[in-house]
Amino acid sequence: MLVEVVLLINGRKEKEKYFAASFKANLPNSSSIALPSNAIFMLDVSLSSHPDKFNVWLKTLKSVLSNNQGQIKTFNVLMFNIENFWFKPSPVENNTKTIEEFLRYADQLLLEGASDFNGAIGEINNKYKTSSSAVFILSDGAVTWGEDDTRLLANSISRTHKVFTFNTGMEGSDNQLLKDVAQKNGGNCI
């Protein structure tokens, strides 16, 4: 499956610069990956995601959910910076209506603070202790708060989850962390 993300950010003021980016990711065919029926998106809402990376994460989330409705039946989104907060108290049905509801919700978020990757992993582990989920990490992996040891972070995710990360090639990404976390947890760094 080929996922293409095209991003154009318009400045709001006359003197603001414009930014455009495009990247393609060749994902394995969905039939070759057995995804759990529940997906958790770990969405970085720290200041380092603003504004370019955050829009890439939202387009990626929409693409993953829309293109895998046959496999991913429910989802939830954990937004994280130095705090953690969920889109909904429990997973919601993966359909066009709930995807659009989340995108409207995300459009109102203020990106601020540092990235506590370990705190977000702990939150997912606590909320989904025994359920098998696909965890899609939408972050550049640059830890700016809390534990930053790649080995410890990769080992801290519950083994009931299959983890997927995304290497966008954007500046400031810790690609080694993203790769190690995904590979250690039965997923892939795409």
Side-chain angles (χ1 to χ4, degrees), residues 96-113:
T96 303
K97 180 181 176 185
T98 55
I99 294 169
E100 292 302 321
E101 179 185 355
F102 172 74
L103 293 174
R104 284 189 303 276
Y105 172 83
D107 192 42
Q108 304 301 312
L109 293 173
L110 178 63
L111 304 178
E112 60 184 353

Side-chain angles (χ1 to χ4, degrees), residues 107-139:
D107 192 42
Q108 304 301 312
L109 293 173
L110 178 63
L111 304 178
E112 60 184 353
S115 299
D116 184 2
F117 204 83
N118 190 52
I121 290 170
E123 176 69 20
I124 290 171
N125 287 343
N126 287 335
K127 189 167 181 86
Y128 295 93
K129 289 178 186 176
T130 58
S131 63
S132 175
S133 299
V135 176
F136 295 92
I137 298 177
L138 302 173
S139 171

Side-chain angles (χ1 to χ4, degrees), residues 30 35-37 64-74 94:
S30 60
L35 292 174
S37 63
V64 167
L65 288 173
S66 297
N67 292 323
N68 294 286
Q69 287 183 339
Q71 286 185 283
I72 299 173
K73 303 297 184 192
T74 59
N94 179 15

Side-chain angles (χ1 to χ4, degrees), residues 6 14 17-19 23 26-27 30 33 38 42 44-45 53 56-57 61 93 101 118 139 142 153 157 159 171 187:
V6 178
E14 187 176 316
K17 296 180 181 179
Y18 295 92
F19 172 83
F23 73 91
N26 284 313
L27 305 178
S30 60
I33 297 177
N38 183 54
M42 192 172 119
D44 190 340
V45 295
K53 293 175 187 176
V56 169
W57 302 142
L61 179 146
E93 188 177 334
E101 179 185 355
N118 190 52
S139 171
L153 290 170
I157 297 175
R159 297 294 173 248
E171 185 178 329

